[in-house]
Amino acid sequence: LLTQANLQNFIKANPVTDAEVKAEYDSKIAAEKGTEFKARHILVKTEAEAKKLITELGKGADFAKLANKNSLDAKESQNGGDLGWFSAAQMVVPFSEAVAALEKGKYTKEPVKTQFGFHVILKEDSRPVTPPPLEAVKEQLTPFLQRKKVQDMIETLRKQAKVEILVPLTEEQPKAEAAPA
């Protein structure tokens, strides 16, 4: 109870200020600049299958129909290979690099190899990432900053504490009694 009361008093005496929330927002959320991509893909096991699909696309085949028919990615094979919007960090490196290099509306002319297999990728669109406004995330940042202040206070107390161990850390085992003769 005393510990809880002490923490409550500390939180009351050291409230999170709007300036601290704004600084955290600027360093974490607003700093997340970049690009999001909207793409479709077809995942197959072999490079030969992927090249065959690229040839079919070159002849005018519909990407979504080919994805539904051929993709090993169970979820995306039901919706034409649509991956929705994603950032480059959400995908494996070879995949995200290939998407970033593509022009809008174009597909990869060579299969993209990842640990999952071979991908044929169609880039549908891209857009700059827009961070949420400060007011939308303020309620989530405040408890985070409170926890951080409490952790810093506890760490300071630990560093200042003087601990003396007066009892030996190992207990001596009792000596076995001599067996009667």
Side-chain angles (χ1 to χ4, degrees), residues 73-87:
D73 193 337
K75 181 179 158 223
E76 277 73 35
S77 68
Q78 302 303 310
N79 61 6
D82 189 10
L83 296 168
W85 289 98
F86 58 90
S87 69

Side-chain angles (χ1 to χ4, degrees), residues 131-144:
L134 174 61
E135 292 306 314
V137 293
K138 186 175 184 178
E139 296 300 316
Q140 295 154 351
L141 288 176
T142 303
F144 168 77

Side-chain angles (χ1 to χ4, degrees), residues 54 57 98-99 102 106-112 119-122:
I54 290 169
L57 287 169
V99 171
L102 282 171
K106 303 286 184 186
Y107 59 88
T108 52
K109 302 296 184 194
E110 288 295 319
V112 177
H119 303 263
V120 179
I121 306 166
L122 169 68

Side-chain angles (χ1 to χ4, degrees), residues 59-153:
K59 293 177 182 174
D62 182 65
F63 195 96
K65 287 179 183 172
L66 284 177
N68 286 344
K69 184 178 171 189
N70 299 289
S71 187
L72 298 174
D73 193 337
K75 181 179 158 223
E76 277 73 35
S77 68
Q78 302 303 310
N79 61 6
D82 189 10
L83 296 168
W85 289 98
F86 58 90
S87 69
Q90 291 174 292
M91 298 295 177
V92 292
V93 174
F95 191 96
S96 57
E97 285 176 351
V99 171
L102 282 171
E103 291 179 37
K104 181 177 171 181
K106 303 286 184 186
Y107 59 88
T108 52
K109 302 296 184 194
E110 288 295 319
V112 177
K113 186 179 186 329
T114 68
Q115 69 262 37
F116 306 108
F118 290 87
H119 303 263
V120 179
I121 306 166
L122 169 68
K123 180 177 179 178
E124 294 184 320
D125 205 357
S126 63
R127 65 184 181 196
V129 175
T130 52
L134 174 61
E135 292 306 314
V137 293
K138 186 175 184 178
E139 296 300 316
Q140 295 154 351
L141 288 176
T142 303
F144 168 77
L145 290 170
Q146 276 182 336
R147 282 191 303 275
K148 191 174 175 187
K149 280 186 173 193
V150 168
Q151 286 172 341
D152 291 345
M153 184 260 307

